[in-house]
Every structure is written in structure tokens, then in C-alpha cells.
Amino acid sequence: MALMSLALAGTLAVTALAAPDRAAPAVSCTSGKAGLAAKLRRELTAALADRGGTVAIGLRDRRTNTTCTLRPYRRFDSASIVKVTLLATLLWDAERKDRYLTDWEESLAWSMITKSSNKATGTLWSRVGVNKVRSFLKEAGMTQTVPGSYGYWGLTRITVRDEQRLLALLTRENPLLGADARAAILRLMNQVTDTQRWGTPAGAPAGVSVHVKNGWLPRATHGWRVHSTGVFRGNRRTYTITVLTEGNHTKTYGVNTIQSVARAIHDNLNPESRTAELHTPPAPAEVIPPLPPG
């Protein structure tokens, strides 16, 4: 695996936690619901107050016309959350050609999303081709995303702004992805294996359906990249959350940062559910997955 040595070298180099960014920009929130923006801004700021590394946040709730952002244009290595973009590209291209996915493509897509299989991703990345990924990104308005070169799909450069644009495409009618394609992607994100259902689902009420994709990767600079992006539907609302992080000394540290953010969001968007059963993700295994080239 071409990036095996890169991943292992990154682990050896990650020995100290990056200090909190004292010059960090402030969380920005707006809302059509009185008082909600200020409360979210205050609680998200508190959730990050003692966290090291660099964090970017995106939230969009249609029901209350609420948005929150932090570093929406900061680029991060994607790790595995680029797999949703790849699947969207595959389905977009199939719709353009008026064809269904083959059984083989469906099997690869299932493994890529639900198990985060790097092998399946590399196969699909090669089959789809980086030029087609670029074409989808252009059509989707994801102009800040830069696909990884030479088959290194996990080094695609992403932003919160573009990830939130992708989630918006998955949750509303649009000319790029038809209803069947949107449903297929969300269905697989809902079937992610239990050991990978950490991150943005933390604190979601039991009545809300969870659709999630996470990514994690250590490198020699900026420590662990740990990301989580999710769609949440229920209680007469649909909202999307993206949290991207780097500068984490372990994967678990990044996961905990993301989950602190997620709990603040779910709690404020679902106040009627505060006494209900909440989603508690399992602790992630501290595993370094090799990241193969496509």
C-alpha cells in the first residue's frame, strides 16, 4: 500500500497535542428562531474552549432556517468522507447515461460507505476517474474541493462549505441527483457499521434517523485528521452537520471534539427530546487504516 508508510510515519510523528488556537475565528450563527443563534454560538464556543487542534463546523437546519459556521473555507485532507462524493459522482454519471449501477458497482458502493472499505474505494475511484469527479464537483458548486492526485483519494482537499453543499444535494430535490440516487446514498449512510457510528450522531434523539460518514487519517504534520459529516431527519425537520478537525494527537481526541460539538447542536435543535434516549456512539478503536492509492 503506497500510503502505508505515510500513515505509519504520521503516527510516529504525532507526539504532542496542538495547543488551542488562540487566534481562532468565532463561531458564527444565524437563525429564524428567536434566541437560537445566540445560544448555539455560546454553547459551541464553550464546547471548543479547551480543545486543541483546528476545528471547522457547518450546520444547516431548514425548519428554523438556522446555520452555524466556523472556518467554512479552511481546507483539510478528506480521509474517508470523500467516499460520499465519489458515490454521488458514480450515481450522477449513471443517471446522465440513463443506466442502473451494476451488481458489482452496488457491492463496491455498499462496502465503501457502510464499512469504509479502502479497497472498494480505490476500485471505484479508478473506475469513475478523477476527471469525472472534477466534473461532478463543478456541477455541484463544490468549487473548493480538490481531488487527490495520482489516485490518492484520501488526500482530496475539502472544506466545510463544500461538504455542506453536498449534504444539501442529498436532502432536497435538485437537477444533479434524482430521488433514487439521493435515497441510495442516504440509505447506505444509515447502514454504517456500528463501530463507525461515532462523531456527529452523538446526542441525537432516538426519534431522529442518522445518516453518517466519518474519516480519519494520521500524517506527519498536523497530527490526526478526524472528520464526521451527517444528515439527521425526524421530528418534522432535516438538518446537516459537518465537523472537520486536524492537529489531534490521537483519533479518540478528535472524535471527542466532534462529539462535544454534535451534542451541543442536537440538544439545541431538539429541546423537546432532552429527557429522551439519546444516541451514544461506541468508542472508536484506535486503529491506523492503511490508505491505498486508487
Side-chain angles (χ1 to χ4, degrees), residues 183-240:
I185 297 171
L186 290 173
R187 181 170 62 252
L188 292 181
M189 292 175 69
N190 180 250
Q191 295 174 358
V192 166
T193 184
D194 286 346
T195 57
Q196 295 181 24
R197 297 178 72 83
W198 45 262
T200 52
V208 170
S209 65
V210 170
H211 312 262
V212 63
K213 186 69 194 81
N214 298 324
W216 59 99
L217 172 69
R219 296 192 69 188
T221 58
H222 303 300
W224 280 83
R225 286 83 165 131
V226 185
H227 313 313
S228 184
T229 188
V231 172
F232 304 91
R233 311 174 90 169
N235 296 336
R236 305 188 311 279
R237 76 184 335 136
T238 295
Y239 56 101
T240 61

